[in-house]
Amino acid sequence: MPTRYIDKYDFTGRIAVITGGGRGIGLACAEALAQMGARIVILERDEAIGADGVAKLAAQGAKAEWRLVDVTDEAAVAAAAAAIERDVGPVDTLICCAGIAISGVPAEDATPEQWRKVLDINLNGVFWACQAFGRFMLQRQRGSIVNIGSMSGIIVNKPQEQASYNASKAAVHHLTKSLAAEWATRGVRVNAVAPTYIDTPLTRFGMEDDALRTTWIEMTPMARVGQPDEIASVVLFLASEAASLLTGSIVVADAGYTSW
Ligand code: NDP
């Protein structure tokens, strides 16, 4: 029997949790996984965003729900993981997408609050989710985690200053590799995607600024930004059985940005 490649993308009967899945890249990931048959649980800290994301998914025929969780609250993340395992079922797919950026702040002017906020959400939040859901996955020896890093974890963006964001994403990449190495023989794969600029609310400040947008595009070999579905396609691959040999990989989806 030849390998049936299409079956590797079948998520029927599987449960996928997506932090920050109510909009932007996270919502696109939810749509991609739902189209392949997964049942979706979104974690959001904002009620309107969570409800809106689930309404959009339901309108597409997806099985989706959301829970109010701030990923910086490790106890809330652990409680959500336990509740979802109990009420919904075994989670074998986790996408850590919740993140923020504080841009245009020179390092010498950054306040302790700004620095801590970005690291707390972008790095600590990813760790709490990986740990909470990873513990259940390790018990079953089955799971795939995809963290959303950034090309900002590889290069320094120009011209907007955002040291906290860049450092947080470099840390997400190395956290991904660290977890991947620890869990590699125990059935849990951990990978990350490093996107270029993607057209979402997070980058609106730049998309609406002619000078900033022009610089971004001029520095990108493909001369364009990306769309959320172009990142969701990579996340879907990494989450799926098609990526069974990948763990600890940081897949750069950057329209060529880091090539120059
Ligand atoms: P969005 O702002 O559209 O989506 C991020 C979502 O995460 C929002 O719904 C946000 O809600 C939620 N969120 C933020 N903080 C928390 C928290 N503490 N707990 C729970 N949910 C939270 O941004 P994107 O879709 O663009 O970004 C998704 C990920 O992709 C981020 O990690 C980002 O850094 C990364 N990325 C984005 C790129 C881009 O160009 N857009 C490029 C490279 C990486 P709220 O309004 O409450 O903050």
Side-chain angles (χ1 to χ4, degrees):
M1 264 299 264
T3 299
R4 279 185 50 83
Y5 291 95
I6 195 120
D7 291 349
K8 295 177 182 245
Y9 287 91
D10 185 4
F11 281 77
T12 306
R14 294 170 61 180
I15 298 163
V17 169
I18 304 168
T19 74
R23 73 174 190 208
I25 294 170
L27 180 58
C29 294
E31 289 172 347
L33 288 159
Q35 281 183 27
M36 297 302 162
R39 184 166 170 184
I40 307 295
V41 185
I42 286 169
L43 307 187
E44 281 283 354
R45 64 174 173 179
D46 182 300
E47 201 164 334
I49 297 175
D52 188 55
V54 165
K56 287 192 173 115
L57 289 164
Q60 297 169 27
K63 281 186 230 131
E65 61 195 90
W66 75 278
R67 305 213 169 190
L68 191 66
V69 177
D70 184 327
V71 295
T72 65
D73 181 345
E74 68 268 28
V77 174
I84 293 164
E85 289 271 332
R86 185 189 63 228
D87 303 340
V88 185
V91 176
D92 66 16
T93 305
L94 170 68
I95 316 297
C96 292
C97 205
I100 63 160
I102 297 180
S103 300
V105 179
E108 66 272 27
D109 298 334
T111 66
E113 292 71 28
Q114 288 173 325
W115 178 267
R116 286 201 186 95
K117 188 174 173 186
V118 172
L119 271 291
D120 208 14
I121 297 174
N122 291 9
L123 174 59
N124 298 345
V126 170
F127 181 68
W128 301 134
C130 288
Q131 186 187 54
F133 289 95
R135 283 174 173 153
F136 288 102
M137 292 176 180
L138 289 166
Q139 277 169 22
R140 287 188 292 270
Q141 305 241 320
R142 178 183 165 83
S144 177
I145 297 175
V146 184
N147 296 324
I148 309 299
S150 174
M151 69 175 182
S152 309
I154 302 166
I155 51 85
V156 174
N157 301 71
K158 191 177 167 189
Q160 73 278 14
E161 305 91 342
Q162 46 180 39
S164 58
Y165 184 81
N166 299 344
S168 74
K169 291 301 182 176
V172 166
H173 294 175
H174 212 56
L175 171 63
T176 299
K177 287 177 181 286
S178 303
L179 298 177
E182 283 195 37
W183 297 347
T185 57
R186 296 152 73 193
V188 180
R189 296 185 297 106
V190 191
N191 292 289
V193 182
T196 182
Y197 297 107
I198 307 297
D199 188 9
T200 71
L202 186 131
T203 48
R204 197 142 294 150
F205 72 97
M207 305 288 182
E208 289 172 353
D209 178 320
D210 280 347
L212 214 50
R213 197 184 58 251
T214 302
T215 306
W216 290 0
I217 297 217
E218 280 176 1
M219 291 185 72
T220 309
M222 287 176 80
R224 70 175 182 88
V225 300
Q227 296 302 318
D229 68 286
E230 296 181 286
I231 301 305
S233 302
V234 183
V235 169
L236 176 64
F237 163 66
L238 289 173
S240 78
E241 288 303 312
S244 54
L245 199 57
L246 278 76
T247 199
S249 290
I250 315 301
V251 178
V252 182
D254 70 348
Y257 194 102
T258 58
S259 302
W260 275 342

